Amino acid sequence: MSASHDQPRTDARPYSEEAAAPTQPRAALKKSAHRANTQRNMSLTAAALVALLGVVSLGQVSDQAPLSAELSRVADTSKRDQAPGQVKRNTDPAPAPLPATDPSPDPTTAPAPAPAPAPEEPAVAPAPAPVTTTTAAPEPAPAPAPLASTGTTGAMPVGVPGAWTMAFADEFNGTALDTAKWSNCWFSPTCGTMNKVTTSPSNVSVGGGNLVLSLNSSTSGALVSTNPKGGATTGYEFTTGYVEARIKFPGDGTNLYNWPAFWTNGQSWPTNGENDIAEVLSGKMTVNYHSTSGAHNQGTVPGDWGNNFHTFGLHRTANSADVYFDGVKVKSYSTDDGNAPQYIILNVGASGSSPAAYGAASQVQVDYVRAWK
């Protein structure tokens, strides 16, 4: 730090040349002593500054306020020792700074700060618990409303237009006849006679996706029906609507064997009517209707209807009926049964006019039976 050469000291005492002349040698000595004191003060000041700078550089000064106060105090001391009109120059080497561990406090040095606390070990975050990913099983789709059967949901009649709702079906995919839907003979458990033979449950089987009806002999045949009053626990009856079955009738390519039929019948015959949808007579496929007004035979249906599966269906209305083979209308006739409830029948009996076959050759195989309203 320095003082300006032309700045006067307002607090200096005035003196005259006359008073100073007789004491010239003493003044010289005082001037020399004063110069030595000035150099000593500047050395101390420099030493204090170096010490302070050393403390700051080591990061041992905790705040700026003590350092500013100390610098101001040192500056005031220097100014008190400096003669007016002189520039102080420090030509002595700066003394080494005092050790920071000196127990005696020095007013020219800042007190040593407390040692910095040892850094704490970083807290170790607990390992996250393992996340278990569970794949939720997909929720099941709502089950459709149960039909009166195990039929194919959404299936429609073959070739018959209309807005149909399935009311009954059996696909025969099990290993035994569903007795809730079917009676296994003509009026079980007595098992009467139909088409010249006794209807025996032993000639009825289910397997390979089919219902199988066999003619075991000329006197032992087979029959199933949905008649709830003839042995079926629940069964099925209908008035207006459509019934359909997919059937393979036995034959030799020219004639059909025995006396098999797919038909519907009322509880009071012939008042409640009888619709013979597919009936073999004299080796040929025919369609017939019976009521109180008599037998209304509709005649034969040309074609080979044996040894392969075909669909046969009846569309029943209040006063008429239409018969379909493989989705094609083959017969249409008026009815006079009062639209009474009727049930479904499939059977095989013995015939005196058709070629006879027994056992495996006589089997009538049924893939399904379905009904709609």
Side-chain angles (χ1 to χ4, degrees):
M1 99 185 57
S2 63
S4 174
H5 289 285
D6 56 359
Q7 183 176 356
R9 283 281 300 273
T10 58
D11 58 345
R13 291 185 302 169
Y15 65 93
S16 63
E17 292 182 0
E18 291 82 2
T23 58
Q24 184 73 25
R26 182 179 293 180
L29 292 174
K30 287 183 178 180
K31 187 174 182 180
S32 176
H34 179 72
R35 182 176 300 159
N37 287 335
T38 299
Q39 292 178 350
R40 179 177 60 83
N41 290 338
M42 291 189 65
S43 298
L44 291 175
T45 300
L49 289 175
V50 170
L52 289 173
L53 292 175
V55 171
V56 173
S57 64
L58 291 175
Q60 295 178 338
V61 177
S62 59
D63 54 46
Q64 295 293 330
L67 176 59
S68 299
E70 184 64 22
L71 289 175
S72 298
R73 184 181 63 81
V74 173
D76 291 343
T77 303
S78 173
K79 287 179 180 179
R80 284 196 303 268
D81 292 339
Q82 182 178 351
Q86 291 184 346
V87 178
K88 294 181 62 175
R89 294 182 181 178
N90 183 13
T91 58
D92 294 336
L98 296 176
T101 57
D102 189 351
S104 58
D106 190 333
T108 61
T109 59
E120 296 182 0
E121 293 186 3
V124 179
V131 177
T132 302
T133 302
T134 303
T135 303
E139 291 188 11
L147 302 173
S149 66
T150 56
T152 302
T153 302
M156 291 288 109
V158 177
V160 182
W164 298 103
T165 299
M166 186 175 285
F168 175 91
D170 197 338
E171 306 298 313
F172 304 110
N173 290 326
T175 57
L177 187 70
D178 187 345
T179 56
K181 300 173 183 176
W182 303 95
S183 169
N184 60 5
C185 67
W186 185 242
F187 288 90
S188 175
T190 57
C191 297
T193 299
M194 178 57 63
N195 290 3
K196 299 183 178 181
V197 296
T198 299
T199 57
S200 173
S202 62
N203 295 330
V204 177
S205 64
V206 174
N210 297 319
L211 165 69
V212 180
L213 307 175
S214 301
L215 181 65
N216 189 50
S217 68
S218 60
T219 60
S220 178
L223 180 147
V224 297
S225 80
T226 63
N227 185 2
K229 297 180 180 179
T233 304
T234 303
Y236 177 71
E237 293 181 291
F238 74 107
T239 53
T240 58
Y242 190 84
V243 295
E244 180 181 279
R246 186 169 183 262
I247 308 170
K248 182 167 75 172
F249 288 99
D252 60 9
T254 302
N255 293 293
L256 301 175
Y257 300 155
N258 304 321
W259 191 358
F262 167 43
W263 49 300
T264 65
N265 194 49
Q267 295 294 341
S268 178
W269 190 90
T271 303
N272 297 147
E274 173 188 334
N275 291 279
D276 298 322
I277 305 165
E279 180 180 17
V280 176
L281 295 174
S282 301
K284 304 301 178 183
M285 187 65 72
T286 68
V287 176
N288 304 290
Y289 175 70
H290 301 270
S291 68
T292 54
S293 59
H296 304 278
N297 296 329
Q298 303 300 310
T300 62
V301 179
D304 182 4
W305 303 107
N307 296 324
N308 287 295
F309 280 99
H310 298 276
T311 59
F312 305 90
L314 168 69
H315 184 197
R316 189 181 179 208
T317 63
N319 300 302
S320 66
D322 299 322
V323 175
Y324 291 79
F325 282 15
D326 289 337
V328 176
K329 185 190 296 186
V330 294
K331 299 293 180 180
S332 183
Y333 51 89
S334 297
T335 59
D336 55 358
D337 51 41
N339 199 33
Q342 294 183 357
Y343 52 89
I344 303 168
I345 308 167
L346 293 123
N347 76 292
V348 57
S351 171
S353 60
S354 298
Y358 304 101
S362 71
Q363 290 180 349
V364 176
Q365 300 181 43
V366 183
D367 179 31
Y368 64 77
V369 177
R370 299 169 183 167
W372 294 264
K373 291 183 177 180

